[in-house]
Amino acid sequence: MEASDGIKEIQLAQKSSSASIGLGSSTRSSSGTYGKSKRVWVWTESKQVMTASVERGWNTFIFSSRSRELADEWSSIALIHPLFIQEGAIFDGENRSVATILEVSNPQELEQLQLDKGLGENVVVDLLDWQVIPAENIVAAFQGSEKTVFAISKTPLEAQVFFEALEQGLGGVVLKVEDVKAILDLKDYFDRRDEVSNILSLTKATVTSVQVAGMGDRVCVDLCSLMRPGEGLLVGSFARGLFLVHSECLESNYIASRPFRVNAGPVHAYVAVPGGKTCYLSELKSGKEVILVDQKGHQRTAIVGRVKIETRPLILVEAKLQRDSDNQTLYSILVQNAETVSLVCPSKGIEVQKTAIPVTSLKVGDEILVRLQGGARHTGIEIQEFIVEK
């Protein structure tokens, strides 16, 4: 699609709902513990950046007071909300003040910063030329304020830090960029975080076979997050059905609790990652993201801190859905034959009777949880294609 065609389509689609266009361009994200809408204003002189932003729902743009002609030109081809910087404040097209700009040049000024009542509903913090952005300090300085606080960000990564600092983050960012990729990367960030608010559907399956399989190279995944009872990674030999492998957060007589670790399975196995994708356990490395899921299907993202691959004895677990199900497909997983490796089992009503079953105690007839999905994959992405896995 040509950029101009994209703008025309958006303009037609938005004209019928112009009443809903505000200083918004807000995006809901539920990463961590915050679930409030986060707002994005874009500061650019690039028409391509403008096009990409509007196509992704961000239609509030900031211009210098000398760029009114550019704002008029863009307004003629897309339904945007132009704002103008002038004398330490931001005004709309009718010269009404909508935000105050606070320039902070050093940590001492940040500590002395006060949000008095005369600043207006929106406050934009400009950190000038700071090399290291103390996002936590900024969020802490404005916590408890009823104002929407924005920070000027020059990269998507900076914006992410502002959104997530101290779990709550700031209310918005002004993304000052001239590169389309920055818009795409920030939108991809929101898309991945929005996944977390969706509950994954997990299905009961009955164990049909448990057998020793010999030696193999298994993968321990150490995360940068602590896991709770009932949480783990979705892993399986076939992409069509991933087992919920529990973390090592439970107390054991054999080894100290390691709530950051999942002893996930052999190098060939699939593991669920953000974006509805899978990758091989052997592909995980420091810095990659994975999806953590609990008994109820709640999910969140976590960063891999370390991966350990070692040769260990393996056990093969096979399962099918309930007997009354029309689906009698076989699902399987190989895991280390160790007491600390467990598969998450279904909860019983409101009360959770049991969180997980150690694979060394697993027997035919036990119920565990699996995630059903399409089996055909290309570079981890689900595709529609005939495939046989066995």
Side-chain angles (χ1 to χ4, degrees):
M1 179 184 292
E2 295 291 335
S4 58
D5 291 338
I7 294 173
K8 289 176 183 177
E9 288 184 15
I10 292 163
Q11 187 176 14
L12 289 172
Q14 291 179 332
K15 280 183 177 178
S16 62
S17 59
S18 60
S20 65
I21 303 296
L23 297 178
S25 307
S26 63
T27 305
R28 181 166 294 279
S29 178
S30 301
S31 176
T33 60
Y34 69 81
K36 296 181 180 179
S37 294
K38 301 296 182 179
R39 294 160 69 179
V40 178
W41 296 352
V42 181
W43 187 351
T44 186
E45 294 184 352
S46 166
K47 188 175 181 179
Q48 288 73 29
V49 170
M50 182 273 289
T51 302
S53 301
V54 173
E55 287 176 342
R56 283 149 188 83
W58 297 330
N59 58 0
T60 301
F61 293 89
I62 292 180
F63 302 87
S64 69
S65 58
R66 301 184 300 274
S67 300
R68 288 186 177 269
E69 288 186 3
L70 181 61
D72 291 341
E73 176 190 339
W74 288 3
S75 296
S76 69
I77 57 177
L79 191 57
I80 67 170
H81 191 94
L83 302 176
F84 302 92
I85 293 181
Q86 186 175 347
E87 298 177 354
I90 298 177
F91 298 85
D92 64 14
E94 298 180 5
N95 210 34
R96 293 174 300 194
S97 177
V98 297
T100 302
I101 299 177
L102 299 179
E103 293 186 345
V104 181
S105 59
N106 56 61
Q108 291 72 32
E109 289 185 4
L110 180 60
E111 291 178 4
Q112 297 168 4
L113 205 56
Q114 298 292 327
L115 289 182
D116 55 53
K117 295 181 180 179
L119 291 179
E121 179 183 351
N122 301 298
V123 175
V124 176
V125 179
D126 186 354
L127 294 172
L128 301 177
D129 296 323
W130 285 31
Q131 297 300 311
V132 178
I133 306 298
E136 289 83 2
N137 296 15
I138 297 166
V139 173
F142 298 124
Q143 273 190 349
S145 170
E146 295 182 358
K147 304 178 188 302
T148 300
V149 180
F150 294 74
I152 295 178
S153 304
K154 297 179 181 178
T155 68
L157 186 57
E158 268 187 17
Q160 294 173 31
V161 171
F162 283 124
F163 282 138
E164 295 190 353
L166 298 183
E167 296 188 347
Q168 297 300 317
L170 294 180
V173 297
V174 175
L175 188 61
K176 188 176 183 181
V177 296
E178 302 298 328
D179 182 10
V180 171
K181 188 176 183 300
I183 298 296
L184 302 181
D185 288 349
L186 187 59
K187 185 58 168 65
D188 180 63
Y189 160 79
F190 277 117
D191 288 344
R192 287 185 285 112
R193 291 306 186 265
D194 286 344
E195 274 187 351
V196 177
S197 63
N198 300 322
I199 296 179
L200 278 181
S201 174
L202 299 177
T203 304
K204 293 180 184 179
T206 302
V207 175
T208 59
S209 174
V210 181
Q211 55 183 302
V212 174
M215 304 295 288
D217 295 332
R218 72 93 177 96
V219 180
C220 264
V221 183
D222 292 348
L223 302 176
C224 298
S225 301
L226 297 177
M227 285 167 278
R228 301 178 286 268
E231 275 190 317
L233 295 177
L234 289 170
V235 182
S237 293
F238 311 135
R240 63 176 179 254
L242 303 180
F243 292 66
L244 187 49
V245 182
H246 201 268
S247 73
E248 294 187 7
C249 68
L250 301 178
E251 294 297 329
S252 168
N253 295 326
Y254 305 96
I255 196 169
S257 171
R258 292 186 173 90
F260 54 84
R261 172 172 294 172
V262 178
N263 189 333
V267 288
H268 78 282
Y270 288 112
V271 61
V273 296
K277 301 176 182 179
T278 59
C279 74
Y280 298 116
L281 282 175
S282 59
E283 294 176 327
L284 292 182
K285 60 183 179 180
S286 296
K288 287 205 71 169
E289 287 187 323
V290 292
I291 293 289
L292 290 179
V293 183
D294 69 8
Q295 266 179 314
K296 300 291 187 180
H298 300 109
Q299 57 177 315
R300 60 189 175 111
T301 58
I303 298 172
V304 176
R306 172 179 55 244
V307 168
K308 295 200 309 174
I309 301 176
E310 299 161 312
T311 302
R312 293 291 185 269
L314 301 177
I315 190 169
L316 172 65
V317 178
E318 296 180 329
K320 291 184 179 181
L321 301 190
Q322 304 296 324
R323 290 183 179 178
D324 57 355
S325 170
D326 293 333
N327 182 358
Q328 288 299 299
T329 304
L330 186 69
Y331 305 97
S332 78
I333 184 174
L334 284 141
V335 289
Q336 182 179 342
N337 190 359
E339 298 85 353
T340 53
V341 182
S342 302
L343 298 181
V344 178
C345 53
S347 58
K348 307 290 185 181
I350 298 177
E351 296 295 328
V352 178
Q353 302 297 320
K354 187 186 294 185
T355 302
I357 305 173
V359 294
T360 51
S361 304
L362 202 63
K363 60 185 182 298
V364 172
D366 284 339
E367 290 185 338
I368 43 86
L369 290 174
V370 296
R371 165 68 175 168
L372 304 184
Q373 54 188 19
R377 298 268 155 172
H378 177 67
T379 63
I381 302 171
E382 184 176 335
I383 60 173
Q384 297 300 315
E385 182 181 55
F386 174 74
I387 185 171
V388 174
E389 289 183 303
K390 57 183 180 179

